[in-house]
Amino acid sequence: MLRCLLTFLLLAIPGTLGSAPSGPWDTFIYAPASRIVRPKSIRTSAGSVQNAQGLLKESSPATLSGNQSWVALDFGIEVGGLVSLNFTAVSPSSSIALSFTESPFFISPLASDDSAMSAPNQSYDGVLNVPPPLRTGFWTQPAERLRGGFRFLTIVSTSTAPVTISNVTCEISFMPHVENMRDYSGYFFAEDPVFHDKDFLTKIWYAGAYTLQTNTVPLHTGRQIPFPQSPNWFNNATLGVAGPIIVDGAKRDRAVWPGDMGVAVPTQFVSTNDLISTRNALSTMFAGMNPKTGALPESGPPLSQQGSDTYHAWTLIGTYNYYLYSGDVDWLQRTWANYTKAVAFLEGKVDSTGLMDVTGLRDWARLGGGGHNSEGNALLYKVLVNSAELATYLNVSDLAESWSKNATALKTRFNEFFWFPEAGMYRDNDTTALCPQDANAMAILFNVTNSSSQAASISEGLTKNWNELGAVAPELPDTISPFIGSLELQAHFESGNDLRAMDLLRREWGYMLYTNLSVQSTLLEGFTANGSLSYRSYRGYNYDPAYTSHAHGWSTGPTSALTFYVLGLTVTSPQGKTWSLAPHLSGLSAVQGGFETGLGWFGASWSQNDSSRKLEVKLNTPVGTTGLVRLPVDGSVKVDGKSVRKDAHGLVHLSGGDHTVIVQS
């Protein structure tokens, strides 16, 4: 039944899926082994429900007798797709309804959690009614009523007549182009000596990876716009120019949001390397460009929201990331005219101050942001640096030189204008002393800072926003945003404050992964400073905690951070023709992992022995590549048993292949 939904255009790109070695880390893959999944347990029931446990099996029926008798089934993890079941025995007046929720907090026989729209009564979506007359035999949820993300399914009798059902399943709709969702092309494994669960770091890596899988959806399964009249929901809108396509969240918004992709795509690269959905999303954004002005939409269809300078910038940053990971030069060349026009659109907003005047005010929900704003200008700097590099790859030397020159000038003005010495951080604009989380994290991550001491000051200053559950954003009070938190996490690593990064990781993502308010398999869109689900209640979500998404790709920053920083392995030119290995020890004793590009397998491991004062690093990269190794400890260095010297920058130069590096302190 679901196959009719899986319309997609599968175009060849460099690289293949699925090559990670097997090991104990496979235990922590959340993705199901089959597209047909069954509930794992009975969460609760009410009224007269006979043999509820039978619903966990294929052919053991359960009977609901009496109006509002109901049973809530727990699938154990976030799932999404179409529910099917068998009606084993019915009467002419039997009827049932289904409700869905990600969080157990919203289990109800009367309403699902909200996805179509937020509502103060927390019941916009309502239930899926299966009205009489029911017929015995197999029944499947209508395709347009697909539920993109849920963990709990409630089945309720809506008449006094009994109804007997069996064989309740969900056919997974996400990752429609992949046969084996557990066959990853990357992996990560490390034990945490501090957290209450020693496997936390491995689990959070795979939770991020699975979150991105739930966000990779068939083309014609977007949230319907205009929103249906409550109570109702529909997921049958077209999301872009081709599918599969990456969206922001499994339950909602089920649309392309390029800001989210700034975190989501690196996660996708290191885990599944499933970049076709990224390419389709980027192509969708460029297809929506204003042909006269070069303005890009804030979001993809059917929302197709306009007026965001920051999300315009994120589309351009996403273009760079896609090319870096894929090496898809044909796509880049086809997109280049639109890309350059989009860069010119942002540069056209730079006024006599030497800074961009942000007039497209829509953003990730932060307050403020207009005018000469530090977040917007940090993003523009990143766009210019990336664009100069892309132009170099395409041998467009005049643009490379111009964009590089403009980036240098912008960096100078940024530091002159936004640096706030009293705080040791960047301020939001010239009319406030507020030092935002987003711009300061970006400044470190995008290398807008002028010195390592400046980066260290910002890293320390960001901790003043922390509580026991994570980093509270000053620019959106009472809010912990894992999107901006993902950038901050990486900024702490980037500035060399590894233990601080690990502290934030354990606070913010430790809460998300283990709280019983969520799905414990994918990652929350956001939450309040006290840990409630009332994210953005006063900022567009109508005080509706049932609307918050529990599988949001912008929250998956730890997955790429653990690979790029803790393991230390990154690509530095398209597909990893050049690469870097720079482990961040981070209080750990051993780490291993890797990923794949079109050039082949990139794998690494490191372990340290305090008693012998030895660090051992093993590395496997494709023959024909070259890389730089920055070692985190001092001492004599041997590569493959031979003593070597570091260069003037403290780096060891290696060619592709298998290598063992030992540092003896």
Side-chain angles (χ1 to χ4, degrees):
M1 181 71 178
L2 182 61
R3 295 298 180 258
C4 63
L5 291 174
L6 307 186
T7 302
F8 59 88
L9 179 61
L10 189 59
L11 301 174
I13 63 172
T16 57
L17 300 181
S19 66
S22 297
W25 44 88
D26 292 341
T27 303
F28 306 108
I29 297 176
Y30 294 95
S34 169
R35 287 203 169 273
I36 306 298
V37 294
R38 299 182 183 280
K40 300 294 185 183
S41 64
I42 304 298
R43 178 73 180 197
T44 188
S45 64
S48 176
V49 182
Q50 296 177 316
N51 192 34
Q53 292 291 328
L55 296 178
L56 309 181
K57 305 174 184 178
E58 182 175 353
S59 56
S60 181
T63 300
L64 286 71
S65 301
N67 192 22
Q68 293 302 302
S69 292
W70 57 274
V71 58
L73 308 176
D74 182 359
F75 283 80
I77 58 172
E78 177 89 349
V79 297
L82 297 179
V83 167
S84 298
L85 53 84
N86 284 327
F87 288 113
T88 305
V90 298
S91 69
S93 59
S94 297
S95 62
I96 67 168
L98 309 181
S99 66
F100 304 80
T101 178
E102 293 179 307
S103 170
F105 192 74
F106 301 109
I107 292 172
S108 168
L110 303 177
S112 302
D113 61 6
D114 285 332
S115 66
M117 185 57 186
S118 56
N121 64 6
Q122 302 175 27
S123 59
Y124 191 99
D125 282 25
V127 299
L128 172 60
N129 287 297
V130 187
L134 303 180
R135 292 179 173 81
T136 57
F138 190 69
W139 174 89
T140 297
Q141 182 179 0
E144 68 274 9
R145 303 301 303 278
L146 175 143
R147 198 71 183 182
F150 66 95
R151 175 172 167 173
F152 301 95
L153 168 67
T154 298
I155 304 175
V156 54
S157 171
T158 54
S159 78
T160 57
V163 57
T164 302
I165 59 177
S166 64
N167 193 27
V168 178
T169 63
C170 174
E171 186 175 6
I172 298 294
S173 62
F174 48 79
M175 296 295 286
H177 55 307
V178 173
E179 183 175 348
N180 181 0
M181 290 183 288
R182 295 177 61 85
D183 191 11
Y184 285 11
S185 61
Y187 83 104
F188 178 86
F189 184 70
E191 292 189 349
D192 191 326
V194 175
F195 202 69
H196 63 78
D197 182 350
K198 67 180 178 62
D199 296 314
F200 165 60
L201 297 176
T202 307
K203 287 180 178 178
I204 201 66
W205 193 94
Y206 282 100
Y210 184 51
T211 299
L212 258 296
Q213 290 182 290
T214 69
N215 294 176
T216 303
V217 304
L219 181 61
H220 303 297
T221 61
R223 180 175 64 163
Q224 187 184 94
I225 305 293
F227 307 120
Q229 184 175 352
S230 177
N232 224 331
W233 76 87
F234 290 101
N235 284 316
N236 59 349
T238 299
L239 289 163
V241 299
I245 195 165
I246 186 172
V247 296
D248 62 329
K251 179 182 76 169
R252 54 139 287 269
D253 293 325
R254 294 186 71 82
V256 176
W257 289 90
D260 306 44
M261 291 169 63
V263 172
V265 175
T267 296
Q268 189 180 56
F269 167 61
V270 300
S271 58
T272 65
N273 196 32
D274 180 34
L275 298 175
I276 185 172
S277 60
T278 294
R279 183 178 66 181
N280 289 338
L282 291 169
S283 295
T284 295
M285 299 309 293
F286 282 111
M289 170 186 278
N290 184 314
K292 293 183 178 180
T293 66
L296 292 164
E298 183 194 21
S299 64
L303 279 171
S304 300
Q305 292 182 168
Q306 308 293 320
S308 174
D309 291 344
T310 55
Y311 273 50
H312 180 114
W314 279 117
T315 293
L316 300 176
I317 292 169
T319 299
Y320 173 85
N321 286 339
Y322 171 70
Y323 181 65
L324 176 66
Y325 301 147
S326 71
D328 188 356
V329 69
D330 290 340
W331 180 87
L332 181 61
Q333 288 173 332
R334 291 195 305 270
T335 307
W336 189 244
N338 282 341
Y339 181 91
T340 56
K341 190 166 188 174
V343 175
F345 173 83
L346 290 183
E347 287 200 291
K349 297 195 173 198
V350 176
D351 60 21
S352 60
T353 66
L355 297 167
M356 179 171 68
D357 180 10
V358 177
T359 58
L361 302 182
R362 295 187 62 87
D363 206 341
W364 61 269
R366 78 185 321 272
L367 301 174
H372 298 124
N373 164 266
S374 53
E375 179 216 10
N377 278 276
L379 285 164
L380 175 58
Y381 176 77
K382 178 63 171 171
V383 166
L384 291 171
V385 171
N386 284 355
S387 298
E389 189 174 331
L390 290 176
T392 300
Y393 292 136
L394 294 181
N395 296 314
V396 188
S397 57
D398 56 337
L399 279 179
E401 182 179 351
S402 174
W403 284 332
S404 181
K405 179 181 177 181
N406 292 347
T408 300
L410 178 59
K411 181 172 180 175
T412 299
R413 283 300 289 134
F414 187 98
N415 281 278
E416 292 171 347
F417 193 88
F418 295 116
W419 185 250
F420 191 39
E422 293 88 339
M425 302 177 74
Y426 295 107
R427 58 184 176 172
D428 200 37
N429 56 63
D430 63 346
T431 66
T432 182
L434 185 144
C435 297
Q437 180 190 16
D438 54 12
N440 280 281
M442 290 175 189
I444 296 175
L445 198 56
F446 299 161
N447 193 32
V448 192
T449 53
N450 280 326
S451 66
S452 59
S453 61
Q454 198 177 26
S457 174
I458 295 169
S459 174
E460 182 179 0
L462 284 167
T463 66
K464 296 175 183 178
N465 302 321
W466 291 10
N467 68 14
E468 66 274 13
L469 299 182
V472 182
E475 61 270 38
L476 191 62
D478 193 38
T479 301
I480 294 178
S481 167
F483 171 36
I484 306 304
S486 290
L487 304 181
E488 179 180 338
L489 174 70
Q490 295 176 52
H492 291 306
F493 280 124
E494 188 69 31
S495 64
N497 293 288
D498 303 341
L499 296 181
R500 184 174 292 154
M502 296 296 285
D503 187 359
L504 178 60
L505 175 57
R506 294 177 179 117
R507 291 176 192 235
E508 193 160 323
W509 283 268
Y511 175 73
M512 279 193 282
L513 186 61
Y514 295 92
T515 178
N516 59 11
L517 293 178
S518 193
V519 294
Q520 299 178 334
S521 53
T522 54
L523 299 175
L524 270 166
E525 175 185 12
F527 49 100
T528 64
N530 69 359
S532 86
L533 298 178
S534 297
Y535 170 73
R536 283 188 58 184
S537 277
Y538 66 91
R539 186 64 170 159
Y541 282 11
N542 291 316
Y543 296 89
D544 183 0
Y547 191 62
T548 299
S549 164
H550 293 251
H552 234 65
W554 76 358
S555 301
T556 63
T559 301
S560 62
L562 288 168
T563 296
F564 291 159
Y565 292 103
V566 177
L567 178 64
L569 188 59
T570 62
V571 298
T572 56
S573 64
Q575 291 188 294
K577 185 68 176 177
T578 60
W579 44 266
S580 170
L581 181 68
H584 291 236
L585 300 181
S586 306
L588 307 179
S589 60
V591 174
Q592 61 176 297
F595 51 78
E596 182 189 45
T597 79
L599 297 181
W601 174 251
F602 293 75
S605 66
W606 59 259
S607 61
Q608 57 176 335
N609 188 314
D610 291 338
S611 60
S612 64
R613 299 174 63 84
K614 182 175 75 171
L615 173 71
E616 182 177 41
V617 179
K618 293 187 176 181
L619 183 64
N620 181 304
T621 56
V623 173
T625 65
T626 59
L628 300 174
V629 178
R630 182 178 296 278
L631 297 163
V633 295
D634 294 325
S636 60
V637 180
K638 289 186 176 181
V639 176
D640 302 330
K642 297 180 180 180
S643 296
V644 300
R645 291 183 179 273
K646 301 175 186 177
D647 69 10
H649 302 287
L651 301 171
V652 175
H653 295 244
L654 291 178
S655 58
D658 294 335
H659 299 288
T660 299
V661 181
I662 294 178
V663 185
Q664 186 68 60
S665 300

